[in-house]
Coordinates of all heavy atoms in Angstrom, one line a residue:
M1 N 4.1 1.5 15.1 CA 4.1 0.1 14.9 C 5.5 -0.3 14.3 O 6.1 0.5 13.5 CB 3.0 -0.2 13.9 CG 3.4 -0.8 12.6 SD 2.1 -1.3 11.4 CE 0.9 0.0 11.5
D2 N 6.0 -1.4 14.8 CA 7.3 -1.9 14.3 C 7.0 -3.0 13.2 O 6.1 -3.9 13.4 CB 8.1 -2.5 15.4 CG 8.7 -1.4 16.3 OD1 8.8 -0.3 15.9 OD2 9.0 -1.8 17.4
V3 N 7.7 -2.9 12.1 CA 7.5 -3.8 11.0 C 8.9 -4.4 10.6 O 9.9 -3.6 10.5 CB 6.9 -3.1 9.8 CG1 6.9 -4.0 8.6 CG2 5.5 -2.6 10.1
T4 N 9.0 -5.7 10.4 CA 10.2 -6.3 9.9 C 10.2 -6.3 8.4 O 9.2 -6.8 7.8 CB 10.4 -7.7 10.5 OG1 10.4 -7.7 11.9 CG2 11.7 -8.3 10.0
C5 N 11.2 -5.7 7.8 CA 11.1 -5.5 6.3 C 12.4 -6.1 5.7 O 13.5 -5.6 6.1 CB 11.0 -4.0 6.0 SG 10.9 -3.7 4.2
E6 N 12.3 -7.0 4.8 CA 13.4 -7.6 4.1 C 13.4 -6.9 2.7 O 12.5 -7.1 1.9 CB 13.3 -9.1 3.9 CG 14.4 -9.7 3.1 CD 14.2 -11.1 2.7 OE1 13.3 -11.8 3.2 OE2 14.9 -11.6 1.9
V7 N 14.5 -6.3 2.4 CA 14.7 -5.8 1.0 C 15.5 -6.9 0.3 O 16.6 -7.2 0.7 CB 15.5 -4.4 1.0 CG1 15.7 -4.0 -0.5 CG2 14.8 -3.4 1.8
V8 N 14.9 -7.6 -0.6 CA 15.4 -8.8 -1.2 C 16.8 -8.4 -1.8 O 16.9 -7.5 -2.6 CB 14.5 -9.3 -2.3 CG1 15.1 -10.5 -3.0 CG2 13.1 -9.7 -1.6
G9 N 17.8 -9.2 -1.4 CA 19.2 -9.0 -1.9 C 20.0 -8.0 -1.1 O 21.1 -7.8 -1.4
E10 N 19.3 -7.3 -0.2 CA 20.1 -6.2 0.6 C 20.1 -6.4 2.1 O 20.9 -5.8 2.7 CB 19.5 -4.9 0.2 CG 19.7 -4.5 -1.2 CD 19.1 -3.1 -1.6 OE1 18.9 -2.3 -0.6 OE2 18.9 -2.9 -2.8
G11 N 19.1 -7.2 2.6 CA 19.1 -7.4 4.1 C 17.7 -7.1 4.7 O 16.8 -6.7 4.0
T12 N 17.7 -7.3 6.0 CA 16.5 -7.1 6.7 C 16.7 -6.0 7.8 O 17.7 -5.9 8.4 CB 16.1 -8.4 7.4 OG1 15.9 -9.4 6.4 CG2 14.8 -8.3 8.2
E13 N 15.6 -5.2 8.0 CA 15.7 -4.2 9.1 C 14.3 -4.1 9.7 O 13.3 -4.4 9.1 CB 16.2 -2.9 8.5 CG 15.3 -2.2 7.5 CD 16.0 -0.9 6.9 OE1 15.9 0.1 7.6 OE2 16.5 -1.0 5.8
T14 N 14.3 -3.5 10.9 CA 13.0 -3.2 11.6 C 12.7 -1.7 11.4 O 13.6 -0.9 11.7 CB 13.1 -3.6 13.1 OG1 13.4 -5.0 13.2 CG2 11.8 -3.3 13.8
L15 N 11.5 -1.5 11.0 CA 11.1 -0.1 10.7 C 10.1 0.3 11.8 O 9.2 -0.5 12.1 CB 10.5 0.0 9.4 CG 11.3 -0.4 8.1 CD1 10.4 -0.4 6.9 CD2 12.5 0.4 8.0
A16 N 10.2 1.5 12.3 CA 9.2 2.1 13.2 C 8.3 3.0 12.4 O 8.8 4.1 11.9 CB 9.9 2.8 14.3
L17 N 7.1 2.6 12.1 CA 6.2 3.4 11.3 C 5.0 3.9 12.1 O 4.7 3.4 13.1 CB 5.6 2.4 10.2 CG 6.5 1.7 9.3 CD1 5.8 0.7 8.4 CD2 7.3 2.7 8.4
D18 N 4.4 5.0 11.6 CA 3.2 5.6 12.2 C 2.1 4.6 12.0 O 2.1 3.8 11.1 CB 2.8 6.9 11.5 CG 3.8 8.0 11.7 OD1 4.5 8.0 12.7 OD2 3.9 8.9 10.9
D19 N 1.1 4.7 12.9 CA 0.0 3.7 12.9 C -0.8 3.9 11.6 O -1.5 2.9 11.2 CB -0.9 3.9 14.1 CG -0.3 3.5 15.4 OD1 0.6 2.6 15.3 OD2 -0.7 3.9 16.4
D20 N -0.8 5.0 10.9 CA -1.5 5.2 9.7 C -0.7 5.1 8.4 O -1.0 5.5 7.4 CB -2.3 6.5 9.7 CG -1.3 7.7 9.8 OD1 -0.1 7.5 10.1 OD2 -1.8 8.9 9.6
A21 N 0.5 4.4 8.6 CA 1.4 4.3 7.4 C 0.8 3.4 6.3 O 0.1 2.5 6.6 CB 2.7 3.7 7.9
T22 N 1.3 3.7 5.1 CA 0.9 2.9 3.9 C 2.1 2.2 3.4 O 3.2 2.4 3.9 CB 0.3 3.8 2.8 OG1 1.4 4.7 2.3 CG2 -0.8 4.7 3.2
Y23 N 1.9 1.3 2.5 CA 3.0 0.5 1.9 C 3.9 1.5 1.1 O 5.1 1.2 1.0 CB 2.5 -0.6 1.1 CG 1.9 -1.7 2.0 CD1 0.5 -1.9 2.0 CD2 2.7 -2.5 2.8 CE1 -0.1 -2.8 2.8 CE2 2.1 -3.4 3.7 CZ 0.7 -3.6 3.7 OH 0.2 -4.5 4.5
A24 N 3.5 2.6 0.6 CA 4.3 3.6 0.0 C 5.3 4.2 1.0 O 6.5 4.4 0.7 CB 3.5 4.7 -0.7
D25 N 4.8 4.3 2.2 CA 5.7 4.8 3.3 C 6.8 3.8 3.6 O 7.9 4.2 3.9 CB 4.9 5.1 4.6 CG 3.9 6.2 4.4 OD1 4.2 7.2 3.7 OD2 2.8 6.2 5.0
V26 N 6.5 2.6 3.5 CA 7.5 1.5 3.7 C 8.6 1.6 2.6 O 9.8 1.6 2.9 CB 6.9 0.1 3.7 CG1 7.9 -1.0 3.7 CG2 5.9 -0.1 4.9
C27 N 8.2 1.8 1.4 CA 9.1 2.0 0.3 C 10.1 3.1 0.6 O 11.3 3.0 0.5 CB 8.4 2.2 -1.0 SG 7.3 0.9 -1.5
R28 N 9.5 4.2 1.0 CA 10.4 5.4 1.2 C 11.3 5.2 2.4 O 12.4 5.7 2.5 CB 9.5 6.7 1.4 CG 8.9 7.1 0.1 CD 8.1 8.5 0.2 NE 6.8 8.3 0.7 CZ 5.7 8.0 0.0 NH1 5.9 7.8 -1.3 NH2 4.6 7.9 0.6
A29 N 10.8 4.5 3.4 CA 11.6 4.2 4.7 C 12.8 3.4 4.4 O 13.8 3.5 5.1 CB 10.7 3.5 5.7
V30 N 12.8 2.6 3.3 CA 13.9 1.8 3.0 C 14.7 2.4 1.8 O 15.7 1.8 1.3 CB 13.6 0.3 2.7 CG1 13.0 -0.4 3.9 CG2 12.6 0.2 1.5
G31 N 14.4 3.6 1.4 CA 15.2 4.4 0.5 C 14.8 4.3 -1.0 O 15.6 4.6 -1.8
Y32 N 13.6 3.8 -1.2 CA 13.1 3.7 -2.6 C 11.8 4.4 -2.8 O 11.0 4.6 -1.9 CB 12.9 2.2 -3.0 CG 14.2 1.4 -3.0 CD1 14.6 0.6 -2.0 CD2 15.1 1.5 -4.1 CE1 15.8 -0.1 -2.0 CE2 16.3 0.8 -4.1 CZ 16.6 0.0 -3.1 OH 17.8 -0.6 -3.1
S33 N 11.6 4.7 -4.1 CA 10.3 5.3 -4.5 C 9.3 4.1 -4.7 O 9.8 3.0 -5.1 CB 10.5 6.0 -5.8 OG 9.3 6.2 -6.5
P34 N 8.1 4.3 -4.5 CA 7.1 3.2 -4.7 C 7.1 2.8 -6.2 O 6.6 1.7 -6.5 CB 5.7 3.9 -4.3 CG 6.1 5.0 -3.4 CD 7.4 5.5 -3.8
H35 N 7.6 3.6 -7.1 CA 7.7 3.2 -8.5 C 8.9 2.3 -8.8 O 8.9 1.7 -9.9 CB 7.8 4.5 -9.4 CG 6.6 5.4 -9.1 ND1 5.3 5.1 -9.6 CD2 6.5 6.6 -8.5 CE1 4.5 6.1 -9.2 NE2 5.2 7.0 -8.5
E36 N 9.8 2.2 -7.9 CA 11.0 1.4 -8.1 C 10.9 -0.1 -7.5 O 11.7 -0.9 -7.8 CB 12.2 2.0 -7.4 CG 12.6 3.3 -8.0 CD 13.8 3.9 -7.2 OE1 13.5 4.5 -6.1 OE2 14.9 3.8 -7.6
V37 N 9.9 -0.2 -6.6 CA 9.8 -1.5 -5.8 C 8.4 -1.9 -5.7 O 7.5 -1.1 -6.0 CB 10.4 -1.4 -4.4 CG1 11.9 -1.1 -4.5 CG2 9.7 -0.3 -3.6
T38 N 8.2 -3.2 -5.3 CA 6.8 -3.6 -4.9 C 7.0 -4.2 -3.5 O 8.0 -4.8 -3.2 CB 6.3 -4.6 -5.9 OG1 4.9 -4.8 -5.6 CG2 7.0 -5.9 -6.0
V39 N 5.9 -4.1 -2.7 CA 5.9 -4.7 -1.4 C 5.1 -6.0 -1.5 O 4.0 -6.0 -2.0 CB 5.3 -3.7 -0.4 CG1 5.3 -4.3 1.0 CG2 6.1 -2.4 -0.3
L40 N 5.7 -7.0 -0.9 CA 5.0 -8.3 -0.8 C 4.6 -8.7 0.6 O 5.5 -8.5 1.5 CB 6.0 -9.4 -1.4 CG 6.5 -9.2 -2.8 CD1 7.6 -10.2 -3.1 CD2 5.4 -9.2 -3.8
V41 N 3.4 -9.2 0.8 CA 3.0 -9.7 2.0 C 2.6 -11.1 1.8 O 1.7 -11.4 0.9 CB 1.8 -8.9 2.6 CG1 1.2 -9.6 3.9 CG2 2.2 -7.5 2.9
D42 N 3.2 -12.1 2.5 CA 3.0 -13.5 2.2 C 3.1 -13.9 0.8 O 2.4 -14.7 0.2 CB 1.6 -13.9 2.7 CG 1.4 -13.8 4.2 OD1 2.4 -13.9 5.0 OD2 0.3 -13.4 4.7
G43 N 4.1 -13.2 0.1 CA 4.4 -13.5 -1.3 C 3.5 -12.9 -2.3 O 3.7 -13.1 -3.5
S44 N 2.5 -12.1 -1.9 CA 1.6 -11.4 -2.9 C 1.8 -9.9 -2.8 O 2.0 -9.3 -1.7 CB 0.2 -11.7 -2.5 OG -0.1 -13.1 -2.7
P45 N 1.8 -9.2 -4.0 CA 2.0 -7.8 -3.9 C 0.8 -7.1 -3.3 O -0.4 -7.6 -3.4 CB 2.1 -7.4 -5.4 CG 1.6 -8.6 -6.2 CD 1.7 -9.8 -5.3
V46 N 1.0 -5.9 -2.7 CA 0.0 -5.2 -2.1 C 0.0 -3.8 -2.7 O 1.0 -3.3 -3.1 CB 0.1 -5.1 -0.5 CG1 -0.1 -6.4 0.1 CG2 1.5 -4.5 -0.2
P47 N -1.2 -3.1 -2.7 CA -1.3 -1.7 -3.3 C -0.5 -0.8 -2.4 O -0.5 -0.8 -1.2 CB -2.8 -1.4 -3.2 CG -3.5 -2.7 -3.0 CD -2.5 -3.6 -2.3
E48 N 0.2 0.2 -3.1 CA 1.1 1.1 -2.3 C 0.3 2.0 -1.4 O 0.8 2.5 -0.4 CB 1.9 1.9 -3.3 CG 1.2 2.8 -4.2 CD 2.1 3.6 -5.2 OE1 2.8 2.9 -5.9 OE2 2.0 4.8 -5.2
D49 N -1.0 2.3 -1.8 CA -1.8 3.2 -0.9 C -2.6 2.5 0.2 O -3.4 3.1 0.9 CB -2.8 4.0 -1.8 CG -3.7 3.1 -2.6 OD1 -3.6 1.9 -2.7 OD2 -4.7 3.7 -3.2
A50 N -2.4 1.2 0.3 CA -3.1 0.4 1.4 C -2.4 0.6 2.7 O -1.2 0.8 2.7 CB -3.2 -1.1 1.0
P51 N -3.2 0.6 3.8 CA -2.5 0.8 5.1 C -1.8 -0.5 5.4 O -2.1 -1.6 5.1 CB -3.7 0.9 6.1 CG -4.9 0.4 5.3 CD -4.6 0.6 3.9
V52 N -0.6 -0.3 6.1 CA 0.2 -1.4 6.5 C -0.5 -2.2 7.6 O -0.9 -1.7 8.7 CB 1.6 -1.0 7.1 CG1 2.4 -2.1 7.6 CG2 2.3 -0.2 6.0
E53 N -0.8 -3.5 7.4 CA -1.5 -4.4 8.3 C -0.6 -5.6 8.7 O -1.0 -6.3 9.6 CB -2.8 -4.8 7.7 CG -3.7 -3.6 7.5 CD -5.0 -4.1 6.8 OE1 -5.1 -5.2 6.3 OE2 -6.0 -3.2 6.9
A54 N 0.5 -5.8 8.0 CA 1.3 -7.0 8.3 C 2.6 -6.5 9.1 O 3.0 -5.4 8.9 CB 1.8 -7.6 7.0
S55 N 3.1 -7.4 9.8 CA 4.3 -7.1 10.6 C 5.6 -7.6 9.9 O 6.7 -7.3 10.3 CB 4.2 -7.7 12.0 OG 4.1 -9.1 11.9
D56 N 5.5 -8.5 8.9 CA 6.6 -9.0 8.1 C 6.4 -8.7 6.6 O 5.4 -9.2 6.1 CB 6.8 -10.5 8.4 CG 7.3 -10.8 9.8 OD1 8.3 -10.2 10.2 OD2 6.6 -11.6 10.4
L57 N 7.3 -8.0 6.0 CA 7.2 -7.6 4.6 C 8.4 -7.9 3.8 O 9.5 -8.0 4.4 CB 6.9 -6.1 4.5 CG 5.9 -5.4 5.4 CD1 6.1 -3.9 5.3 CD2 4.5 -5.9 5.0
K58 N 8.3 -8.0 2.5 CA 9.4 -8.1 1.6 C 9.3 -7.0 0.7 O 8.2 -6.7 0.2 CB 9.5 -9.4 0.9 CG 10.0 -10.6 1.7 CD 10.2 -11.8 0.8 CE 10.7 -12.9 1.7 NZ 11.0 -14.1 0.9
V59 N 10.4 -6.3 0.4 CA 10.4 -5.3 -0.7 C 11.3 -5.8 -1.8 O 12.4 -6.2 -1.6 CB 11.0 -3.9 -0.1 CG1 11.2 -2.9 -1.2 CG2 10.1 -3.4 1.0
L60 N 10.7 -5.8 -3.0 CA 11.4 -6.4 -4.1 C 11.6 -5.3 -5.2 O 10.7 -4.6 -5.6 CB 10.5 -7.5 -4.8 CG 11.1 -8.2 -6.0 CD1 12.3 -9.0 -5.6 CD2 10.0 -9.1 -6.6
R61 N 12.9 -5.1 -5.5 CA 13.2 -4.0 -6.5 C 12.8 -4.5 -7.8 O 13.0 -5.7 -8.2 CB 14.7 -3.8 -6.5 CG 15.2 -3.1 -5.2 CD 16.7 -2.9 -5.2 NE 17.1 -2.1 -6.3 CZ 18.3 -2.0 -6.7 NH1 19.3 -2.6 -6.1 NH2 18.6 -1.2 -7.8
L62 N 12.2 -3.6 -8.6 CA 11.8 -4.0 -10.0 C 12.9 -3.7 -10.9 O 13.7 -2.8 -10.8 CB 10.6 -3.1 -10.3 CG 9.4 -3.2 -9.4 CD1 8.3 -2.1 -9.8 CD2 8.8 -4.6 -9.4
I63 N 13.0 -4.6 -11.9 CA 14.1 -4.5 -12.9 C 13.6 -3.6 -14.0 O 12.5 -3.7 -14.6 CB 14.4 -5.9 -13.4 CG1 14.9 -6.7 -12.3 CG2 15.4 -5.8 -14.6 CD1 15.2 -8.2 -12.7
K64 N 14.5 -2.7 -14.4 CA 14.2 -1.7 -15.5 C 15.1 -2.0 -16.6 O 16.4 -2.1 -16.5 CB 14.5 -0.3 -14.9 CG 14.2 0.8 -15.9 CD 14.2 2.1 -15.3 CE 15.5 2.8 -15.3 NZ 15.6 4.1 -14.9
G65 N 14.6 -2.2 -17.8 CA 15.4 -2.6 -19.0 C 15.5 -1.4 -19.9 O 14.8 -0.4 -19.7
G66 N 16.4 -1.5 -20.8 CA 16.5 -0.4 -21.8 C 17.3 -0.7 -23.0 O 17.8 -1.7 -23.2

């Protein structure tokens, strides 16, 4: 399955994912750990272990303070 993924602030790319891919797989495909980012579908966050059902996604990097 092909998914259009926008990494906010970094650009958009098309990902070729397995049919049983999860949103955690999307995170890894764009070079991040699921703990560093959240995936948004229609502006709402989705669980990282849920199967990918949308064709357009946004990946938002989480800010870490210290």
Side-chain angles (χ1 to χ4, degrees):
M1 120 180 38
D2 288 338
V3 174
T4 302
C5 182
E6 175 190 353
V7 180
V8 177
E10 295 183 19
T12 302
E13 61 183 285
T14 300
L15 306 174
L17 302 172
D18 293 334
D19 289 336
D20 61 346
T22 65
Y23 291 107
D25 295 323
V26 171
C27 298
R28 288 188 278 276
V30 294
Y32 292 102
S33 160
H35 303 289
E36 297 176 280
V37 297
T38 189
V39 179
L40 305 172
V41 175
D42 295 328
S44 297
V46 292
E48 66 183 55
D49 60 348
V52 176
E53 296 176 347
S55 60
D56 292 306
L57 312 170
K58 283 189 180 184
V59 173
L60 181 64
R61 290 179 58 195
L62 303 174
I63 297 173
K64 182 169 92 171

